[in-house]
Amino acid sequence: MNPTGRPLLHHPRPPGVDTLHHTPRRGLDAIPDPRHRAMIASILASGLVEQMIARTDDFDPPVDHAQAARNAALLTAELAASGVDFPAATVRDITRMRALMVPIADDAPALAVDRVWVFTTNVDDVCCHDPAEAAAILRAGLLPGEPPSSPNTRYIRHMFDELARFCDPTVLAVLKTFFHNAVTGVLMEAEFTPEASDGVDSDFVRAFNGFSQFWFAMLQFTDPCLAAHRNRAFWAAALSSCVAFLNDVNDVLSCYKEAVHGADFLASRPYRQAVSEGIPYLTAYRRSLDGGLAAYRRILDLADEEQRPHLERYMTGFAYWHFHCPRYRWQDLYPGLREAGPTTLSGTA
């Protein structure tokens, strides 16, 4: 999974692993539940994480850090003025992530897309822990005449109004649908039981949850060859695999952060599969990894030669970002990993 097209996992012991200096105890004490600690220890012992790190570590595309920094400053001030509570450091992280995965040369649409990425990250976190806010967002967005009832619902209208300046109207309507579908998924996921004994967890709920359709479709803003109103056949064919890729790879690469949190780990797909099916966590983890890789290959098979480099950069950047962004805490386990930013990503777009 990298811009050269080489597979992510190929050699049993890829180069670069020995420079990571992981020891079995480092970082694991931050996981409060001893059962979860043992599950994460099992994947560290398997070598899968080191292989993924090594296969993404040569990813180094040109990135417009100056544009990302400007947009982070603008959005931090805008969010504060709107009453939306979101840490400035996370705003900086997400604008860098967008610049890494979805380079946009024109500053105006880049800011509109950054606004979407930043706010969606925030609202996903908020709604996952506050189903009442998720319900309020659905009512404000979909019921005629329902007034915005919170800073979040007011900001969503602003976010889509700004995106509309750079978006085909039909595509904008689809993006709004994807966004609200994901909030519906949050409400369904809120009914999960911690012991994974419910009948709520299903592939249907899985496809709704995580804003994955919405996140992947943002790639259309990077180049005309991926514009959704001109390339409906590609998106119609690829979108199910796009959702599978983001869901599965996020599960694989968010596991340590979620285990440290505790409650988030209980809602994760590999954990719930391990518990409900009575299988080792490592088996469920491998299943998610294999699913993500299969989705990655199918997306590239569906793309043409012009589209493929953009898709490769998006997907490889997604994996790279997880490992190098402090939000996911992999540096706790592998101090040799550097933080993703101007010191580790070269050049300007």
Side-chain angles (χ1 to χ4, degrees):
M1 187 188 299
N2 57 52
T4 65
R6 296 192 300 273
L8 174 65
L9 303 180
H10 182 66
H11 302 294
R13 187 72 173 173
V17 170
D18 293 332
T19 67
L20 296 173
H21 305 301
H22 171 255
T23 59
R25 296 295 299 168
R26 179 179 284 140
L28 290 176
D29 288 341
I31 302 173
D33 190 310
R35 296 166 300 174
H36 302 169
R37 196 179 308 138
M39 292 176 178
I40 299 301
S42 72
I43 66 165
L44 297 178
S46 74
L48 290 175
V49 175
E50 287 92 338
Q51 291 182 49
M52 288 186 284
I53 293 171
R55 289 300 169 198
T56 60
D57 208 38
D58 62 351
F59 179 70
D60 191 24
V63 176
D64 193 338
H65 295 293
Q67 181 193 71
R70 288 193 303 271
N71 290 355
L74 286 169
L75 292 174
T76 297
E78 181 180 278
L79 288 161
S82 300
V84 177
D85 183 20
F86 199 42
T90 307
V91 176
R92 290 193 297 271
D93 285 342
I94 301 304
T95 53
R96 288 178 182 175
M97 182 185 184
R98 194 279 308 161
L100 177 72
M101 292 171 56
V102 182
I104 302 173
D106 191 331
D107 285 346
L111 177 61
V113 174
D114 276 336
R115 183 180 287 107
V116 169
W117 279 49
V118 167
F119 183 75
T120 303
T121 300
N122 180 61
V123 82
D124 192 14
D125 288 345
V126 168
C127 289
C128 284
H129 301 107
D130 186 358
E133 184 65 10
I137 287 170
L138 286 176
R139 292 194 302 270
L142 299 176
L143 294 181
E146 182 80 13
S149 58
S150 72
N152 286 323
T153 56
R154 288 189 290 272
Y155 196 86
I156 289 167
R157 293 191 178 185
H158 170 61
M159 174 183 81
F160 280 120
D161 286 346
E162 289 298 306
L163 190 65
R165 297 165 53 203
F166 312 102
C167 194
D168 172 82
T170 301
V171 173
L172 181 67
V174 172
L175 291 175
K176 288 185 176 182
T177 300
F178 288 164
F179 178 86
H180 289 99
N181 279 350
V183 178
T184 303
V186 171
L187 283 177
M188 290 188 284
E189 190 181 68
E191 300 304 313
F192 286 178
T193 59
E195 66 274 13
S197 62
D198 56 79
V200 180
D201 194 354
S202 66
D203 288 339
F204 177 79
V205 175
R206 171 75 161 175
F208 269 79
N209 191 49
F211 293 86
S212 295
Q213 295 166 319
F214 188 69
W215 275 95
F216 216 112
M218 288 293 115
L219 185 59
Q220 69 174 299
F221 294 99
T222 198
D223 191 271
C225 72
L226 285 164
H229 67 290
R230 299 174 186 169
N231 299 276
R232 288 183 182 175
F234 167 76
W235 285 106
L239 201 54
S240 63
S241 295
C242 296
V243 172
F245 173 83
L246 289 182
N247 277 337
D248 285 340
V249 175
N250 185 67
D251 281 343
V252 166
L253 300 180
S254 296
C255 63
Y256 175 68
K257 173 179 76 75
E258 291 172 345
V260 172
H261 184 275
D264 286 350
F265 194 70
L266 296 177
S268 68
R269 198 66 177 305
Y271 172 81
R272 292 180 62 81
Q273 287 182 336
V275 173
S276 63
E277 298 178 30
I279 59 177
Y281 178 78
L282 179 59
T283 300
Y285 184 89
R286 286 182 184 273
R287 183 186 297 174
S288 291
L289 176 58
D290 290 344
L293 290 173
Y296 166 80
R297 291 189 290 267
R298 175 164 170 73
I299 291 165
L300 294 184
D301 286 344
L302 290 168
D304 62 31
E305 290 186 4
E306 189 177 8
Q307 294 167 335
R308 196 167 293 122
H310 303 291
L311 292 157
E312 286 185 316
R313 173 167 174 162
Y314 183 99
M315 293 187 286
T316 304
F318 185 71
Y320 179 92
W321 186 255
H322 276 72
F323 284 125
H324 293 270
C325 177
R327 176 179 173 86
Y328 299 96
R329 304 189 59 154
W330 286 107
Q331 290 92 344
D332 294 359
L333 297 168
Y334 301 100
L337 288 173
R338 300 160 297 168
E339 179 179 347
T343 60
T344 60
L345 302 176
S346 64
T348 58

